[in-house]
Amino acid sequence: MLEGNRVSRISVRGFAVASATAVTTVGAVVGVASGSTQQPSNDFEATAGDATLLADIPAGQQAQVQTASLTQQADAQAIAADAAAKKSAEESARKQAAEDAIAKQKAAEKAEQEAKERKEAEEAASRSAARDASDFATQSSYTIAEIQAMARQMVASDQWTCFSNIVDHESDWNYKAVNPSSGAYGLFQALPGSKMSSAGADWQTNPATQIKWGLNYMNERYGSPCGAWSFWQANRWY
């Protein structure tokens, strides 16, 4: 600057400014208006006590110091902005993940409820379509195929395998089977056999009556033929 003009006093802290003779720690720019004769306040002096004055730096390096100061400020602002953006992105990601989890849970619950309703509807339709023992004409005798055909029409399709497994093990589909030691009788080896009279007086000779009784017994005692079959497998009786 020209001699006689008051030099603007600018202190800079925080940067390493290299010169031919020394490295000075400089940084944030603090300015005092040109032409002012007011002495710096004590606070200012305390703050700037360890600062290097821009006027004390060789003129050839002053532009470098000012550029470095502005660069530092820009870098600090960029870092702060990046940190804020990262925090915002993380919060948004957590919020989205929570919303997605809730949506998936609701979808799973809805699918489970719909599956349950479909199953109940199918079971109800199967039960309503099932025939009763009285729907079948009485015969003097029955083959295993005829007995199984009647049973298929009386038992829900999803329970058929369990029902059939029990009859296979208890009587091998012989509606007149008698256990010589206990006296258990019929397809289901009811003990005593007379308890099947609750389904019909012809329980001794009509397999349809026995099927009706056996199905009612499984439903009432175990909830279903499959419930009865599970118990049978664990205990070898039901």
Side-chain angles (χ1 to χ4, degrees), residues 2-186:
L2 296 176
E3 193 69 29
N5 290 338
R6 184 175 299 278
V7 177
S8 295
R9 297 170 61 82
I10 304 175
S11 65
V12 184
R13 257 188 328 218
F15 283 93
V17 179
S19 68
T21 57
V23 176
T24 306
T25 301
V26 294
V29 177
V30 180
V32 178
S34 176
S36 172
T37 60
Q38 183 178 354
Q39 294 296 321
S41 66
N42 291 335
D43 291 341
F44 178 82
E45 290 175 353
T47 302
D50 59 349
T52 299
L53 298 179
L54 189 60
D56 296 334
I57 298 174
Q61 296 180 8
Q62 290 181 11
Q64 294 177 351
V65 172
Q66 290 176 310
T67 300
S69 177
L70 294 175
T71 300
Q72 183 194 40
Q73 294 178 44
D75 289 345
Q77 292 173 355
I79 291 171
D82 287 344
K86 182 178 180 181
K87 182 179 179 180
S88 178
E90 290 174 348
E91 291 177 351
S92 297
R94 285 195 295 268
K95 182 178 179 181
Q96 187 61 50
E99 291 176 352
D100 291 344
I102 293 173
K104 288 180 179 179
Q105 182 179 1
K106 289 182 177 179
E109 291 174 350
K110 182 179 179 181
E112 182 179 0
Q113 181 62 30
E114 290 177 347
K116 181 180 179 181
E117 291 174 354
R118 283 196 300 270
K119 182 177 180 181
E120 291 175 349
E122 290 172 357
E123 291 177 350
S126 178
R127 286 192 297 270
S128 64
R131 299 179 66 182
D132 187 75
S134 60
D135 294 334
F136 301 95
T138 303
Q139 301 176 193
S140 58
S141 64
Y142 302 84
T143 65
I144 291 177
E146 289 173 333
I147 297 171
Q148 290 177 336
M150 286 190 293
R152 282 186 177 276
Q153 295 180 68
M154 298 173 69
V155 179
S157 59
D158 63 333
Q159 298 293 316
W160 167 253
T161 299
C162 297
F163 183 91
S164 178
N165 287 341
I166 290 177
V167 181
D168 284 339
H169 286 83
E170 291 296 320
S171 65
D172 200 22
W173 293 93
N174 180 1
Y175 69 104
K176 292 183 179 181
V178 180
N179 186 310
S181 60
S182 67
Y185 186 84

